[in-house]
Amino acid sequence: MSDREQGGAAAVAATPRAPETRPDPGLHRIVIVGGGAGGLELATRLGDTLGRRGEAEISLVDRGRRHLWKPLLHEVAAGSMNVDEHELDYLAQAHWHHFRFRYGEMIGLDRAAKQVLLAPTLDEEGREITPRRTIPYDTLVIAVGSVVNDFGTPGVAEHAIALDTLAQAERFNRRLVNACLRAHTQHGPVRPEQLHVAIIGAGATGSELAAELHRTTRTVIAYGLDRVDPERDIQITLIEAAERILPGLPPRISAAATGVLTRLGVEIRVNAKVSEVRADGVQLADGGFIPSELVVWAAGVKGPAVLAELDGLEVTKTNQLVVGPTLQTTRDADVFAFGDCAAAPRPGHDRPVPPRAQAAHQQAEHLFRQLRRRLRGEAPEPYTYRDFGSLVSLGEERTVGNLMGFLSGKSMMIEGFVARIMYQSLYKMHERALHGWPKVALTTLARLITRRTEPHVKLH
């Protein structure tokens, strides 16, 4: 168990500690639970304004100690990213930007007492790091993101790895590198399933991971693992239950991505429902079987289980918190929710705001303004989602996507170098929200320099 994982049932049942002492009892307490892209951006902006001027006490709660932009996790899993150059320490960010970081996982909520309940955290030896405790709030913002939905499929928990967290992405990469080393040093030939990767779910994460793995696995083998033949021994299979990959994006983007992946040698299975994940591969509902010892589950999203245990707050069938146009939960005006964990209404559409990084970024900016209005006693304004399109990066091979609203409100498909630059700019916008442009420019330059002196894939 890592030091980011939480204690067991016995520890959770312990007597809670008293709420933490406040530095100024008169300050309005804004607590943000979840240090993902949206939560961390919101805490940073509120800290730089309300926190710095002493107008409110800003606290960020997360069960991990470090942050990485979630759309980059497929690069970590493939081994094409040096995490040390991109991760951010919550304690450091809190110190620099005038908010408080509280390490722990939310396991409950007392709305009457206005307290968030945190589980104790334990280290690898089972020793307590932080105790079970409560964090008081006046305004609570929940931004805990989403997790993959395995739909109760047998074997997923035992034999597949999701890419919800940095720890999971690093775990898959270690398994991948170890599998290549094992195949190189073993006495017998490479087994059919030994270096096969099955990716279940062909949304953006699954499709991007398939393209990235095609390059990185061959790069790893090029570092002296000459007993492995990448063309013969490595196979990447992308499995999708819908009739095409990237089912949530326009068909022409799906077609372009299919063409790129097919040319790379990725096997694409559509209209393929998974009935079971086994240690040696993936069983399909139609009786087919895909041999693979490396399985990634990237199909479906839902809210974390804790959202159904938050003192009666309303949730959807997929366990997302139901919020109104102002992003306030339907049963408590003092509790806001945004990002992937919230089902925010989208006027004129049957479905809520989609779980995309651009939505979390927009909602963080909106809540930054609305929470300041709230402190002034003004009513919050409704949030309106603006769809700027979607971009899918297929490694260094190609980037495809569409932009919305740039040509008389119509969609424009882009690809190639321009699309690649725009895809990279999304991450730069996130970094700018956390650090400002001067630091972003310096860190970008530093990464370009160090990349020339390091392997282009993670080898350990």
Side-chain angles (χ1 to χ4, degrees), residues 278-416:
R278 297 175 4 197
D280 59 346
V282 178
Q283 182 68 54
L284 301 180
D286 62 5
F289 182 75
I290 300 173
S292 174
E293 291 186 358
L294 297 165
V295 181
V296 175
W297 187 279
V301 296
K302 64 179 181 179
V306 67
L307 298 182
E309 307 295 332
L310 297 184
D311 200 6
L313 292 181
E314 184 182 5
V315 296
T316 66
K317 292 181 179 179
T318 55
N319 216 38
Q320 293 175 296
L321 289 169
V322 181
V323 299
T326 60
L327 303 182
Q328 291 167 296
T329 54
T330 54
R331 295 174 181 170
D332 195 327
D334 293 327
V335 180
F336 294 74
F338 77 102
D340 293 0
C341 71
R346 189 180 180 190
H349 295 78
D350 296 333
R351 296 184 177 182
V353 173
R356 297 179 182 173
Q358 62 173 311
H361 176 73
Q362 292 176 29
Q363 291 172 337
E365 288 192 337
H366 177 79
L367 279 178
F368 169 69
R369 296 189 298 269
Q370 302 317 308
L371 292 179
R372 297 177 71 185
R373 288 175 56 89
R374 182 177 173 87
L375 261 64
R376 296 194 297 265
E378 302 172 7
E381 299 171 330
Y383 162 73
T384 301
Y385 173 65
R386 297 183 62 192
D387 187 352
F388 291 105
S390 302
L391 293 166
V392 180
S393 175
L394 301 177
E396 294 184 346
E397 303 298 327
R398 192 174 177 186
T399 300
V400 298
N402 69 312
L403 300 180
M404 302 290 291
F406 288 87
L407 293 175
S408 302
K410 298 181 179 180
S411 172
M412 176 181 68
M413 183 171 178
I414 60 172
E415 53 188 306

Side-chain angles (χ1 to χ4, degrees), residues 92-109:
Q93 184 75 357
H95 175 71
W96 293 330
H97 295 278
H98 313 283
F99 64 89
R100 308 174 74 192
F101 172 62
R102 296 293 171 256
Y103 177 42
E105 180 179 17
M106 177 177 67
I107 56 172
L109 182 65

Side-chain angles (χ1 to χ4, degrees), residues 443-458:
T443 54
T444 301
L445 179 61
R447 290 167 189 162
L448 289 173
I449 294 173
T450 56
R451 187 167 178 79
R452 294 180 176 273
T453 63
E454 298 177 344
H456 286 186
V457 293
K458 188 175 177 62

